Coordinates of all heavy atoms in Angstrom, one line a residue:
M1 N -15.9 -22.9 -10.7 CA -15.7 -23.4 -12.1 C -15.4 -24.9 -11.9 O -14.5 -25.5 -12.6 CB -14.4 -22.9 -12.8 CG -14.7 -21.4 -13.2 SD -13.2 -21.0 -14.2 CE -13.9 -19.9 -15.3
M2 N -16.2 -25.6 -11.0 CA -15.9 -27.0 -10.9 C -16.8 -27.8 -12.0 O -17.9 -27.6 -12.1 CB -16.4 -27.4 -9.5 CG -15.6 -26.9 -8.4 SD -16.1 -27.6 -6.8 CE -15.2 -26.7 -5.7
E3 N -16.1 -28.7 -12.6 CA -16.8 -29.6 -13.6 C -17.2 -30.9 -12.8 O -16.4 -31.4 -12.1 CB -15.9 -29.8 -14.8 CG -15.6 -28.6 -15.5 CD -14.7 -29.0 -16.7 OE1 -14.8 -30.1 -17.1 OE2 -14.0 -28.1 -17.2
M4 N -18.4 -31.4 -13.1 CA -18.7 -32.8 -12.7 C -18.5 -33.8 -13.6 O -18.4 -33.5 -14.8 CB -20.3 -32.7 -12.4 CG -20.7 -31.6 -11.4 SD -19.9 -31.7 -9.8 CE -21.0 -33.0 -9.1
M5 N -18.0 -34.9 -13.2 CA -17.7 -36.1 -14.0 C -18.9 -36.6 -14.7 O -20.0 -36.6 -14.0 CB -17.0 -37.3 -13.1 CG -15.8 -36.9 -12.6 SD -14.9 -38.2 -11.7 CE -14.8 -39.5 -12.8
R6 N -18.9 -37.0 -15.9 CA -20.0 -37.5 -16.6 C -20.2 -39.0 -16.4 O -19.2 -39.7 -16.5 CB -20.0 -37.1 -18.1 CG -20.0 -35.6 -18.2 CD -19.7 -35.3 -19.6 NE -19.6 -33.9 -19.8 CZ -20.3 -33.1 -20.7 NH1 -21.2 -33.6 -21.4 NH2 -20.0 -31.8 -20.8
G7 N -21.3 -39.4 -16.3 CA -21.6 -41.0 -16.3 C -21.1 -41.5 -15.0 O -20.5 -40.8 -14.1
G8 N -21.4 -42.8 -14.8 CA -20.9 -43.5 -13.6 C -21.7 -43.1 -12.4 O -21.3 -43.7 -11.2
G9 N -22.7 -42.2 -12.5 CA -23.5 -41.9 -11.2 C -22.5 -41.2 -10.2 O -21.5 -40.9 -10.5
G10 N -22.9 -41.1 -9.0 CA -22.0 -40.7 -7.9 C -21.8 -39.1 -8.0 O -21.7 -38.5 -7.0
G11 N -21.6 -38.6 -9.2 CA -21.4 -37.1 -9.3 C -20.1 -36.6 -8.6 O -20.1 -35.5 -8.1
G12 N -19.1 -37.3 -8.6 CA -17.8 -36.8 -8.0 C -17.2 -35.7 -8.7 O -17.6 -35.4 -9.9
E13 N -16.2 -35.0 -8.2 CA -15.7 -33.9 -8.8 C -14.5 -34.4 -9.8 O -13.8 -35.2 -9.5 CB -15.0 -32.9 -7.8 CG -16.2 -32.2 -7.0 CD -15.6 -31.1 -6.1 OE1 -14.3 -30.8 -6.2 OE2 -16.2 -30.8 -5.1
K14 N -14.4 -33.8 -10.9 CA -13.3 -34.1 -11.8 C -12.0 -33.5 -11.2 O -12.0 -32.3 -10.8 CB -13.6 -33.4 -13.2 CG -12.5 -33.8 -14.2 CD -13.0 -33.2 -15.6 CE -11.9 -33.6 -16.6 NZ -12.2 -32.9 -17.8
A15 N -10.9 -34.2 -11.4 CA -9.6 -33.7 -10.9 C -9.3 -32.4 -11.7 O -9.5 -32.5 -12.8 CB -8.5 -34.8 -11.0
K16 N -8.7 -31.5 -11.0 CA -8.4 -30.2 -11.6 C -6.9 -30.4 -12.1 O -6.0 -31.1 -11.6 CB -8.4 -29.0 -10.7 CG -9.8 -28.9 -10.3 CD -10.0 -27.6 -9.4 CE -11.5 -27.5 -9.1 NZ -11.7 -26.3 -8.2
A17 N -6.7 -29.8 -13.4 CA -5.5 -30.1 -14.2 C -4.2 -29.3 -13.6 O -3.1 -29.6 -13.9 CB -5.7 -29.7 -15.6
F18 N -4.4 -28.2 -12.8 CA -3.3 -27.4 -12.5 C -3.2 -27.3 -11.0 O -3.7 -26.3 -10.4 CB -3.4 -25.9 -13.1 CG -3.5 -26.0 -14.7 CD1 -4.7 -26.1 -15.3 CD2 -2.4 -26.1 -15.3 CE1 -4.8 -26.2 -16.6 CE2 -2.3 -26.3 -16.7 CZ -3.6 -26.2 -17.4
P19 N -2.5 -28.2 -10.4 CA -2.3 -28.1 -8.8 C -1.2 -27.2 -8.5 O -0.1 -26.9 -9.3 CB -1.7 -29.6 -8.6 CG -1.0 -30.1 -9.8 CD -1.9 -29.3 -10.9
C20 N -1.4 -26.5 -7.4 CA -0.3 -25.6 -6.8 C 0.8 -26.5 -6.2 O 0.5 -27.4 -5.4 CB -0.9 -24.8 -5.7 SG 0.3 -23.7 -4.9
P21 N 2.0 -26.3 -6.6 CA 3.1 -27.1 -6.1 C 3.5 -26.8 -4.7 O 4.2 -27.6 -4.0 CB 4.3 -26.7 -6.9 CG 4.0 -25.4 -7.5 CD 2.5 -25.3 -7.6
Q22 N 2.9 -25.7 -4.1 CA 3.3 -25.4 -2.7 C 2.1 -25.5 -1.6 O 2.3 -25.3 -0.4 CB 3.7 -23.9 -2.7 CG 5.0 -23.7 -3.6 CD 5.3 -22.2 -3.5 OE1 4.9 -21.4 -2.8 NE2 6.5 -22.0 -4.2
C23 N 0.9 -25.9 -2.1 CA -0.1 -26.1 -1.2 C -1.2 -27.2 -1.9 O -1.0 -27.4 -3.1 CB -0.9 -24.8 -0.8 SG -1.9 -24.0 -2.0
P24 N -2.2 -27.5 -1.1 CA -3.1 -28.5 -1.7 C -4.0 -28.1 -2.7 O -4.8 -29.0 -3.3 CB -3.7 -29.2 -0.4 CG -3.4 -28.2 0.7 CD -2.4 -27.3 0.3
L25 N -4.2 -26.8 -3.0 CA -5.1 -26.3 -3.8 C -4.8 -26.7 -5.3 O -3.8 -26.9 -5.7 CB -5.3 -24.8 -3.7 CG -5.8 -24.2 -2.5 CD1 -5.8 -22.7 -2.5 CD2 -7.2 -24.7 -2.3
S26 N -5.9 -26.9 -6.2 CA -5.6 -27.0 -7.7 C -6.7 -26.3 -8.4 O -7.7 -25.8 -7.8 CB -5.7 -28.5 -8.0 OG -6.9 -29.1 -7.7
F27 N -6.3 -26.0 -9.7 CA -7.2 -25.0 -10.4 C -7.6 -25.7 -11.8 O -6.8 -26.5 -12.4 CB -6.5 -23.7 -10.6 CG -6.1 -23.1 -9.2 CD1 -5.0 -23.5 -8.6 CD2 -7.1 -22.2 -8.6 CE1 -4.7 -22.9 -7.4 CE2 -6.7 -21.7 -7.4 CZ -5.6 -22.0 -6.8
D28 N -8.7 -25.1 -12.4 CA -9.2 -25.6 -13.7 C -8.3 -25.0 -14.8 O -8.1 -25.7 -15.8 CB -10.6 -25.2 -13.9 CG -11.6 -25.9 -13.0 OD1 -11.3 -27.2 -12.8 OD2 -12.5 -25.3 -12.6
M29 N -7.7 -23.8 -14.6 CA -6.9 -23.1 -15.6 C -5.6 -22.8 -15.1 O -5.4 -22.5 -14.0 CB -7.6 -21.8 -16.1 CG -9.0 -22.1 -16.6 SD -10.1 -20.6 -16.9 CE -9.0 -19.6 -17.8
E30 N -4.7 -22.8 -16.0 CA -3.3 -22.5 -15.6 C -3.2 -21.0 -15.1 O -2.3 -20.7 -14.2 CB -2.3 -22.8 -16.9 CG -0.8 -22.4 -16.5 CD 0.1 -22.7 -17.7 OE1 -0.4 -22.9 -18.9 OE2 1.3 -22.9 -17.4
E31 N -3.9 -20.2 -15.8 CA -3.9 -18.7 -15.4 C -4.4 -18.5 -14.0 O -3.8 -17.7 -13.2 CB -4.9 -18.1 -16.4 CG -4.8 -16.6 -16.1 CD -5.7 -15.9 -17.3 OE1 -5.3 -15.8 -18.4 OE2 -6.9 -15.5 -17.0
E32 N -5.3 -19.2 -13.6 CA -5.7 -19.3 -12.2 C -4.6 -19.8 -11.2 O -4.5 -19.2 -10.1 CB -7.0 -20.2 -11.9 CG -8.2 -19.7 -12.7 CD -9.4 -20.6 -12.4 OE1 -9.1 -21.8 -12.5 OE2 -10.6 -20.1 -12.4
A33 N -4.0 -20.8 -11.6 CA -2.9 -21.3 -10.8 C -1.8 -20.3 -10.6 O -1.2 -20.2 -9.5 CB -2.4 -22.6 -11.3
Q34 N -1.4 -19.6 -11.7 CA -0.4 -18.6 -11.7 C -0.9 -17.4 -10.9 O 0.0 -17.0 -10.0 CB 0.0 -18.2 -13.1 CG 0.7 -19.2 -13.9 CD 0.9 -18.9 -15.4 OE1 0.2 -17.9 -15.8 NE2 1.8 -19.6 -16.1
T35 N -2.1 -17.0 -11.0 CA -2.6 -15.9 -10.1 C -2.5 -16.3 -8.7 O -1.9 -15.4 -7.7 CB -3.9 -15.5 -10.5 OG1 -3.9 -15.2 -11.9 CG2 -4.4 -14.4 -9.7
H36 N -2.9 -17.5 -8.4 CA -2.9 -18.0 -6.8 C -1.4 -18.0 -6.4 O -1.2 -17.4 -5.3 CB -3.5 -19.3 -6.9 CG -3.0 -20.0 -5.6 ND1 -3.6 -19.8 -4.3 CD2 -2.1 -21.0 -5.4 CE1 -3.1 -20.5 -3.5 NE2 -2.2 -21.4 -4.0
A37 N -0.5 -18.4 -7.2 CA 1.0 -18.6 -6.7 C 1.5 -17.1 -6.4 O 2.2 -16.9 -5.5 CB 1.8 -19.2 -7.8
Q38 N 1.1 -16.1 -7.4 CA 1.7 -14.8 -7.2 C 1.1 -14.1 -6.0 O 1.7 -13.4 -5.3 CB 1.4 -13.9 -8.4 CG 2.3 -14.5 -9.7 CD 1.9 -13.7 -10.9 OE1 0.9 -13.1 -11.0 NE2 2.7 -14.0 -12.0
C39 N -0.2 -14.3 -5.7 CA -0.9 -13.7 -4.6 C -0.6 -14.3 -3.3 O -0.6 -13.6 -2.2 CB -2.5 -13.7 -4.9 SG -3.0 -12.8 -6.3
C40 N -0.4 -15.6 -3.2 CA -0.4 -16.4 -1.9 C 1.0 -16.8 -1.7 O 1.3 -17.1 -0.4 CB -1.3 -17.5 -2.0 SG -3.1 -17.0 -2.2
H41 N 1.8 -17.1 -2.6 CA 3.3 -17.7 -2.3 C 4.3 -16.9 -2.7 O 5.5 -17.3 -2.6 CB 3.2 -19.0 -3.0 CG 2.2 -20.0 -2.5 ND1 2.1 -20.4 -1.2 CD2 1.2 -20.5 -3.2 CE1 1.1 -21.3 -1.1 NE2 0.5 -21.3 -2.3
L42 N 4.1 -15.6 -3.1 CA 5.3 -14.7 -3.5 C 6.0 -14.2 -2.2 O 5.4 -13.7 -1.3 CB 4.6 -13.5 -4.3 CG 5.7 -12.6 -4.9 CD1 6.5 -13.3 -5.9 CD2 4.9 -11.4 -5.5
V43 N 7.3 -14.4 -2.4 CA 8.1 -14.0 -1.2 C 9.1 -13.0 -1.7 O 9.8 -13.3 -2.7 CB 8.8 -15.2 -0.6 CG1 9.8 -14.7 0.5 CG2 7.9 -16.2 0.0
T44 N 9.3 -11.9 -1.1 CA 10.2 -10.8 -1.5 C 11.4 -11.0 -0.6 O 11.3 -10.9 0.6 CB 9.6 -9.4 -1.3 OG1 8.5 -9.3 -2.1 CG2 10.6 -8.4 -1.8
V45 N 12.5 -11.1 -1.2 CA 13.9 -11.0 -0.5 C 14.7 -9.9 -1.0 O 14.6 -9.4 -2.1 CB 14.6 -12.4 -0.5 CG1 13.8 -13.5 0.0 CG2 14.8 -12.7 -1.9
H46 N 15.7 -9.4 -0.1 CA 16.4 -8.3 -0.5 C 17.9 -8.6 -0.4 O 18.4 -9.2 0.5 CB 16.2 -7.2 0.4 CG 14.7 -6.7 0.5 ND1 14.3 -5.8 -0.4 CD2 13.7 -7.1 1.2 CE1 13.0 -5.7 -0.2 NE2 12.6 -6.4 0.9
E47 N 18.6 -8.5 -1.6 CA 20.1 -8.9 -1.7 C 21.0 -7.7 -1.6 O 20.8 -6.7 -2.3 CB 20.2 -9.7 -3.0 CG 21.6 -10.2 -3.2 CD 21.7 -10.9 -4.5 OE1 20.8 -10.9 -5.3 OE2 22.8 -11.5 -4.7
C48 N 22.1 -7.8 -0.8 CA 23.0 -6.9 -0.8 C 24.0 -7.1 -2.1 O 24.5 -8.2 -2.3 CB 24.0 -7.1 0.4 SG 25.4 -6.0 0.5
R49 N 24.2 -6.0 -2.9 CA 25.0 -6.2 -4.0 C 26.5 -6.2 -3.7 O 27.4 -6.5 -4.6 CB 24.7 -5.0 -4.9 CG 23.4 -5.1 -5.7 CD 23.3 -4.2 -6.8 NE 22.6 -4.8 -7.9 CZ 22.4 -4.1 -9.0 NH1 23.0 -3.0 -9.2 NH2 21.5 -4.6 -9.9
L50 N 26.8 -5.8 -2.5 CA 28.2 -5.9 -2.1 C 28.8 -7.2 -1.7 O 29.9 -7.7 -2.1 CB 28.6 -4.9 -0.9 CG 28.4 -3.4 -1.3 CD1 28.5 -2.6 0.0 CD2 29.3 -3.0 -2.3
C51 N 27.9 -8.1 -1.0 CA 28.4 -9.4 -0.6 C 27.4 -10.5 -0.9 O 27.6 -11.6 -0.6 CB 28.6 -9.3 0.9 SG 27.1 -9.1 1.8
C52 N 26.4 -10.2 -1.6 CA 25.3 -11.2 -2.1 C 24.5 -11.8 -0.9 O 23.9 -12.9 -1.1 CB 26.0 -12.3 -3.1 SG 26.7 -11.5 -4.5
Q53 N 24.6 -11.3 0.3 CA 23.8 -11.9 1.3 C 22.4 -11.4 1.0 O 22.0 -10.4 0.7 CB 24.2 -11.4 2.7 CG 25.5 -12.0 3.1 CD 25.8 -11.6 4.6 OE1 25.9 -10.5 4.9 NE2 26.0 -12.6 5.4
I54 N 21.4 -12.3 1.5 CA 20.0 -12.2 1.2 C 19.3 -11.9 2.6 O 19.6 -12.7 3.6 CB 19.4 -13.3 0.4 CG1 19.9 -13.4 -0.9 CG2 17.9 -13.2 0.4 CD1 19.4 -14.6 -1.8
Y55 N 18.4 -10.9 2.5 CA 17.7 -10.6 3.8 C 16.2 -10.6 3.6 O 15.8 -10.3 2.4 CB 18.0 -9.2 4.3 CG 19.5 -9.2 4.8 CD1 20.5 -8.9 3.8 CD2 20.0 -9.5 6.0 CE1 21.9 -9.1 4.2 CE2 21.2 -9.6 6.4 CZ 22.2 -9.3 5.4 OH 23.5 -9.4 5.8
P56 N 15.3 -10.9 4.5 CA 13.9 -11.1 4.3 C 13.1 -9.9 4.1 O 12.1 -9.8 3.7 CB 13.5 -11.9 5.5 CG 14.4 -11.5 6.6 CD 15.8 -11.3 5.9
D57 N 13.6 -8.6 4.6 CA 13.0 -7.4 4.6 C 13.9 -6.3 4.3 O 15.2 -6.4 4.5 CB 12.1 -7.1 5.8 CG 12.9 -7.2 7.1 OD1 13.8 -6.3 7.2 OD2 12.6 -8.0 7.9
G58 N 13.4 -5.1 3.9 CA 14.3 -4.0 3.6 C 15.0 -3.4 4.8 O 16.2 -2.9 4.7
G59 N 14.3 -3.5 6.0 CA 14.9 -3.0 7.2 C 16.3 -3.8 7.6 O 17.2 -3.2 8.1
A60 N 16.1 -5.1 7.5 CA 17.3 -5.9 7.7 C 18.4 -5.6 6.8 O 19.6 -5.5 7.1 CB 17.0 -7.4 7.7
L61 N 18.1 -5.4 5.6 CA 19.1 -5.0 4.6 C 19.8 -3.7 4.8 O 21.0 -3.6 4.7 CB 18.5 -5.1 3.1 CG 19.4 -4.7 2.1 CD1 20.7 -5.5 1.9 CD2 18.7 -4.6 0.6
Q62 N 18.9 -2.6 5.2 CA 19.4 -1.3 5.5 C 20.5 -1.5 6.7 O 21.5 -0.7 6.7 CB 18.2 -0.3 5.9 CG 17.5 -0.1 4.6 CD 18.2 0.8 3.6 OE1 19.4 1.2 3.7 NE2 17.6 1.0 2.5
A63 N 20.0 -2.2 7.7 CA 20.9 -2.4 8.8 C 22.3 -3.0 8.4 O 23.3 -2.6 8.9 CB 20.3 -3.2 10.0
H64 N 22.1 -4.0 7.6 CA 23.3 -4.7 7.1 C 24.2 -3.7 6.2 O 25.4 -3.7 6.3 CB 22.9 -5.8 6.1 CG 24.1 -6.4 5.4 ND1 25.1 -7.3 5.9 CD2 24.4 -6.3 4.1 CE1 26.0 -7.6 5.0 NE2 25.6 -7.0 3.9
L65 N 23.6 -2.8 5.4 CA 24.3 -1.9 4.6 C 25.1 -0.9 5.5 O 26.2 -0.4 5.1 CB 23.5 -1.2 3.7 CG 22.8 -2.0 2.4 CD1 22.0 -1.2 1.7 CD2 24.1 -2.4 1.5
I66 N 24.5 -0.6 6.7 CA 25.2 0.4 7.6 C 26.6 -0.3 8.0 O 27.5 0.4 8.2 CB 24.3 0.7 8.8 CG1 23.1 1.6 8.3 CG2 25.1 1.3 10.0 CD1 22.1 1.8 9.4
E67 N 26.6 -1.6 8.1 CA 27.7 -2.3 8.6 C 28.8 -2.1 7.5 O 30.0 -2.0 7.8 CB 27.5 -3.8 8.8 CG 26.6 -4.2 10.0 CD 26.2 -5.7 10.1 OE1 26.9 -6.5 9.5 OE2 25.4 -5.9 10.9
H68 N 28.4 -2.2 6.2 CA 29.4 -1.9 5.1 C 30.0 -0.5 5.2 O 31.1 -0.2 4.9 CB 28.7 -2.1 3.7 CG 28.6 -3.6 3.3 ND1 29.6 -4.4 3.4 CD2 27.4 -4.2 3.0 CE1 29.1 -5.6 2.9 NE2 27.8 -5.6 2.8
T69 N 29.1 0.5 5.6 CA 29.6 1.8 5.7 C 30.7 1.9 6.8 O 31.8 2.7 6.6 CB 28.6 2.8 6.0 OG1 28.1 2.6 7.3 CG2 27.4 2.8 5.0
F70 N 30.7 1.1 7.8 CA 31.7 1.2 8.8 C 33.0 0.5 8.3 O 34.1 0.7 8.7 CB 31.2 0.5 10.1 CG 30.1 1.3 10.9 CD1 28.9 0.8 11.1 CD2 30.5 2.7 11.3 CE1 28.0 1.7 11.7 CE2 29.6 3.4 11.9 CZ 28.4 2.8 12.1
E71 N 32.7 -0.3 7.2 CA 33.9 -1.0 6.7 C 34.5 -0.1 5.6 O 35.5 -0.4 5.0 CB 33.6 -2.3 6.0 CG 33.0 -3.3 7.0 CD 32.4 -4.6 6.2 OE1 32.4 -4.5 5.0 OE2 32.0 -5.5 6.9
G72 N 33.9 1.1 5.2 CA 34.3 1.9 4.3 C 33.9 1.6 2.9 O 34.5 2.1 1.9
R73 N 32.8 0.9 2.8 CA 32.3 0.5 1.4 C 30.9 1.0 1.3 O 29.9 0.2 1.2 CB 32.5 -0.9 1.2 CG 33.9 -1.4 1.2 CD 34.0 -2.9 0.8 NE 33.5 -3.7 2.0 CZ 33.4 -5.0 1.8 NH1 33.4 -5.5 0.7 NH2 32.8 -5.7 2.8
L74 N 30.5 2.2 1.3 CA 29.2 2.7 1.2 C 28.7 2.3 -0.2 O 29.4 2.6 -1.2 CB 29.1 4.2 1.4 CG 27.8 4.8 1.2 CD1 26.8 4.3 2.2 CD2 27.8 6.4 1.4
S75 N 27.4 1.8 -0.3 CA 26.8 1.5 -1.6 C 25.3 1.8 -1.5 O 24.7 1.5 -0.4 CB 27.1 0.1 -2.0 OG 26.4 -0.2 -3.1
I76 N 24.7 2.3 -2.4 CA 23.4 2.5 -2.4 C 22.7 1.7 -3.4 O 21.4 1.7 -3.8 CB 22.9 4.0 -2.8 CG1 23.5 4.4 -4.2 CG2 23.5 5.0 -1.7 CD1 23.0 5.6 -4.7
L77 N 23.4 0.6 -3.9 CA 22.9 -0.3 -4.8 C 22.2 -1.5 -4.2 O 22.9 -2.2 -3.3 CB 24.0 -0.8 -5.8 CG 24.8 0.3 -6.6 CD1 25.9 -0.5 -7.4 CD2 23.8 1.0 -7.5
V78 N 21.0 -1.6 -4.4 CA 20.1 -2.6 -3.7 C 19.3 -3.3 -4.6 O 18.7 -2.7 -5.5 CB 19.3 -2.0 -2.5 CG1 18.4 -3.1 -1.9 CG2 20.1 -1.4 -1.5
D79 N 19.2 -4.7 -4.5 CA 18.3 -5.5 -5.5 C 17.2 -6.1 -4.7 O 17.4 -6.5 -3.5 CB 19.2 -6.6 -6.1 CG 19.5 -6.3 -7.6 OD1 19.0 -5.5 -8.1 OD2 20.2 -7.2 -8.1
S80 N 16.0 -6.2 -5.3 CA 15.0 -7.0 -4.7 C 14.7 -8.2 -5.7 O 14.7 -7.9 -7.0 CB 13.7 -6.1 -4.7 OG 13.8 -5.2 -3.7
V81 N 14.6 -9.2 -5.1 CA 14.3 -10.5 -5.9 C 13.1 -11.2 -5.6 O 12.8 -11.2 -4.3 CB 15.6 -11.5 -5.6 CG1 15.3 -12.8 -6.5 CG2 17.0 -10.9 -6.0
Y82 N 12.3 -11.5 -6.5 CA 11.0 -12.1 -6.2 C 11.0 -13.6 -6.5 O 11.4 -14.0 -7.6 CB 9.9 -11.4 -7.0 CG 9.9 -9.9 -6.7 CD1 10.5 -9.0 -7.5 CD2 9.1 -9.4 -5.6 CE1 10.5 -7.7 -7.2 CE2 9.2 -8.2 -5.3 CZ 9.8 -7.2 -6.1 OH 9.7 -5.9 -5.9
L83 N 10.7 -14.4 -5.5 CA 10.6 -15.8 -5.7 C 9.3 -16.4 -5.5 O 8.5 -15.9 -4.7 CB 11.6 -16.5 -4.6 CG 13.0 -16.0 -4.5 CD1 13.7 -16.6 -3.4 CD2 13.8 -16.4 -5.8
I84 N 9.0 -17.4 -6.2 CA 7.6 -18.0 -6.0 C 7.9 -19.4 -5.4 O 8.8 -20.2 -5.8 CB 7.0 -18.1 -7.5 CG1 6.7 -16.8 -8.0 CG2 5.7 -19.0 -7.3 CD1 5.8 -16.7 -9.3

């Protein structure tokens, strides 16, 4: 969906209106930029509801929750937070 600049010869590409804030790509439509961000830059982190520490994966959070059981504070409440 690349548009060419009109006039002036040369036939350069028109600047795209929706750049990705996290990489050099840019898009013609906002919807394309949002889809790209969700597919390519979405990071899932896992938060412990007991102490609010954040872990990069579920296994690290589970290991952390075991530490809470040894403290006598068993909890099965776990949150996943999605960041772009």
Side-chain angles (χ1 to χ4, degrees):
M1 290 190 151
M2 291 185 192
E3 294 181 25
M4 303 301 278
M5 291 180 67
R6 295 177 191 232
E13 292 181 20
K14 182 178 181 182
K16 296 184 180 181
F18 300 96
C20 176
Q22 297 180 4
C23 72
L25 295 177
S26 61
F27 302 89
D28 293 323
M29 298 172 51
E30 183 177 16
E31 188 175 278
E32 292 174 330
Q34 290 174 349
T35 300
H36 162 75
Q38 290 173 352
C39 293
C40 300
H41 300 297
L42 184 66
V43 177
T44 302
V45 294
H46 303 274
E47 180 178 9
C48 174
R49 284 192 153 186
L50 294 173
C51 66
C52 299
Q53 285 186 305
I54 294 176
Y55 295 89
D57 59 64
L61 176 59
Q62 290 294 356
H64 169 75
L65 287 173
I66 290 170
E67 293 176 16
H68 282 303
T69 63
F70 290 119
E71 296 171 358
R73 297 186 289 170
L74 176 61
S75 176
I76 58 171
L77 302 175
V78 176
D79 252 355
S80 289
V81 178
Y82 300 95
L83 303 175
I84 293 179

